[in-house]
Amino acid sequence: MARPTVPSRRLVVLLAATALALMTIDARGFGPVQSLRRAVFSVTQPVSSGLGWAISPVTDGWNGAVHYDDLEEENARLRQRLAELEGRVEQLPDNQLELEQLLAATELEFIDDTPRVTARVVSDRRTGLERIVELDRGSDDGVEEDMPVVTGEGLVGRVVLVTADRSIIRLITDPRLSVGVVSPASGALGVTSGSGEGEDIVVDIEADSLEAVTTGGTFETSGFDRSRYPGGIPVGRVVVDEERDIRTIEVAADLERLAYLTILLVPEPG
Amino acid sequence: MIVRWPIALVVMVATVLVQSTGFDQVALPSNSRLDLPLLLLVGIGLVGSANTAALAGFVLGLMVDLFQFGPFGIHALVYCLAAWTLVNARVRILEAGASFRTVQGAGAVVVVTALTWFVGGVFGQDPPPLDQWLPRLGWSALFGAALVHLAARLAGRMLTDVSSAASGEAVRAR
């Protein structure tokens, strides 16, 4: 085979330039790219669901084998919880029990009358560069892009793509997600930014309030500045690293095992 | 060499769909995973010419981008550069026979994986933490070594030699 010729170099430069142009256009929020993704997601969703259903016994079995230790731990926790509920179990029909468990998982003490919809996680996949969580609720249920997603423990992330009956969310640990937060104890304001999956999120606190923030203090969404996140949603506990002058937040919500989530149907600030 | 687009597009869509539906959800230690589109890309780089590999890599990358939610075009950029580089590397350095292809596959998958993480990190994505790099690259190398022959065969069906295609048409015409 002959060595690559000049035209092949020209072609690869042209393709690379096209890719960079597409990335720039996307970064500027060019609508058609998002529309194209939405269309592809809608069109392939039935095929994906069918494929997912067909191979789920294999993937579930494999994941169970690989995460056997985690499952044992989870099993022990659930047995303990079951023992606590034992007295009540006999009084409840099966479906009511399941409903109660679901309500407990999505009970939001920090939100009063904000409209909400509970969603089931239908797919939780990790690519080499991001984690993509898919929920079984979409625009038919009133879900819109940028709406906050929470559990009973606190903020999980926000919706980034919606079709009629599905939505994709971005987790709070994603480097592309920032949230305005406040410390209820000291009033210190800050902005979080994700550091990647499994990592604590970094919080940038206003200079005047740095000394008021100590390890163990809680942070919640501030709800300021036309934020889509209502105020008062728990975000997590702060850890102050004096040596490196960094403040991080241990996320309150358990992001490892997501099963049911609540989407807050907050309208876009006007 | 040219791309047989009908076959290529079907193979690419199927690969990306199976990846997003299945293998992205299969946990391996250290969050490693089997990356079918990446293997297909390496296959394209090992059997294609510079032009076809770059073009097919670009289109494959665009499809991956459509099924993910990072910057649109990031995989297209990485895949077209990687496929073109693979063709060059194959021609200049590694053309030591089919038996050497296993090593080629492992090395190529590792290099493209690392390149994807690097470019992803530059463009605000979330590459894996440092402590996961070695195990994940190790798994990638293993998959690359094991499946590169299959990937190259599949890629071979997506690409065809212009001269052989022309002579085939001439034979049929006679």
Side-chain angles (χ1 to χ4, degrees):
Chain A
M1 191 175 290
R3 284 179 57 171
T5 55
V6 175
S8 88
R9 289 198 188 103
R10 277 189 197 154
L11 177 68
V12 83
V13 168
L14 183 69
L15 291 173
T18 306
L20 283 169
L22 285 171
M23 288 163 71
T24 309
I25 289 169
D26 185 35
R28 290 179 176 275
F30 187 56
V33 172
Q34 190 76 339
S35 302
L36 186 61
R37 275 186 168 143
R38 200 176 297 123
V40 169
F41 187 55
S42 295
V43 168
T44 58
Q45 194 262 318
V47 182
S48 298
S49 296
L51 264 175
W53 175 82
I55 61 178
S56 62
V58 179
T59 54
D60 290 350
W62 174 265
N63 288 338
V66 169
H67 292 296
Y68 184 72
D69 291 345
D70 294 346
L71 287 177
E72 272 195 332
E73 206 173 285
E74 180 77 0
N75 200 12
R77 195 184 64 76
L78 287 173
R79 279 178 192 282
Q80 190 183 345
R81 179 76 178 135
L82 185 63
E84 289 168 15
L85 293 170
E86 207 169 29
R88 297 162 65 188
V89 169
E90 290 171 7
Q91 301 164 14
L92 294 169
D94 286 349
N95 56 347
Q96 278 186 323
L97 174 65
E98 189 179 336
L99 180 62
E100 186 158 301
Q101 286 174 330
L102 174 61
L103 286 175
T106 56
E107 197 169 275
L108 311 179
E109 292 173 357
F110 45 85
I111 294 289
D112 292 333
D113 53 357
T114 305
R116 69 196 71 173
V117 59
T118 301
R120 189 170 60 85
V121 175
V122 291
S123 155
D124 184 359
R125 62 190 177 100
R126 291 167 170 83
T127 73
L129 294 171
E130 62 184 342
R131 184 172 168 192
I132 299 169
V133 180
E134 184 181 336
L135 308 180
D136 68 346
R137 300 285 189 163
S139 56
D140 288 352
D141 307 289
V143 179
E144 293 173 10
E145 282 161 20
D146 294 332
M147 285 180 167
V149 181
V150 300
T151 66
E153 298 162 317
L155 186 65
V156 169
R158 72 176 173 88
V159 177
V160 292
L161 188 134
V162 180
T163 64
D165 57 355
R166 288 281 192 274
S167 50
I168 299 284
I169 65 167
R170 182 165 290 162
L171 299 182
I172 190 174
T173 50
D174 191 298
R176 293 165 288 177
L177 195 65
S178 293
V179 181
V181 292
V182 62
S183 163
S186 65
L189 293 171
V191 177
T192 70
S193 52
S195 304
E197 201 197 336
E199 304 286 324
D200 292 343
I201 56 178
V202 175
V203 58
D204 191 9
I205 296 167
E206 57 180 358
D208 297 348
S209 310
L210 282 176
E211 287 184 4
V213 176
T214 54
T215 296
T218 59
F219 269 87
E220 59 188 34
T221 51
S222 63
F224 294 162
D225 295 333
R226 295 158 51 91
S227 170
R228 194 77 184 256
Y229 305 96
I233 304 173
V235 175
R237 289 188 179 279
V238 73
V239 176
V240 180
D241 184 341
E242 298 282 4
E243 222 168 80
R244 294 190 299 156
D245 194 23
I246 293 177
R247 282 140 195 90
T248 54
I249 292 179
E250 292 172 351
V251 179
D254 180 7
L255 303 180
E256 271 307 301
R257 292 179 182 278
L258 299 173
Y260 287 98
L261 300 173
T262 299
I263 304 168
L264 301 180
L265 306 180
V266 184
E268 194 172 0
Chain B
M1 188 162 271
I2 58 168
V3 182
R4 300 153 93 179
W5 282 112
I7 297 174
L9 289 174
V10 168
V11 171
M12 286 177 185
V13 169
T15 305
V16 175
L17 263 178
V18 170
Q19 180 67 37
S20 62
T21 313
F23 290 109
D24 276 351
Q25 297 176 52
V26 176
L28 290 169
S30 304
N31 279 333
S32 309
R33 70 199 183 105
L34 171 60
D35 193 334
L36 292 182
L38 177 57
L39 283 167
L40 182 61
L41 173 84
V42 170
I44 291 168
L46 292 179
V47 300
S49 64
N51 276 332
T52 53
L55 198 57
F58 180 81
V59 174
L60 178 61
L62 278 184
M63 286 189 186
V64 174
D65 284 323
L66 274 177
F67 281 80
Q68 295 186 11
F69 298 90
F72 185 75
I74 191 167
H75 283 91
L77 174 68
V78 171
Y79 280 16
C80 87
L81 289 176
W84 186 79
T85 308
L86 274 173
V87 174
N88 286 296
R90 179 190 75 201
V91 174
R92 291 177 184 169
I93 308 167
L94 294 173
E95 199 147 55
S99 59
F100 202 57
R101 192 155 275 184
T102 304
V103 180
Q104 280 181 278
V109 170
V110 166
V111 169
V112 181
T113 303
L115 180 66
T116 308
W117 291 347
F118 174 74
V119 176
V122 169
F123 287 97
Q125 293 270 90
D126 179 20
L130 281 176
D131 60 328
Q132 290 185 7
W133 278 37
L134 269 183
R136 288 177 76 156
L137 289 176
W139 277 102
S140 296
L142 192 66
F143 288 134
L147 298 172
V148 68
H149 290 278
L150 193 64
R153 189 171 294 181
L154 193 58
R157 293 189 182 278
M158 295 163 45
L159 310 173
T160 186
D161 201 320
V162 179
S163 56
S164 65
S167 63
E169 279 173 19
V171 168
R172 278 194 294 276
R174 277 202 294 266

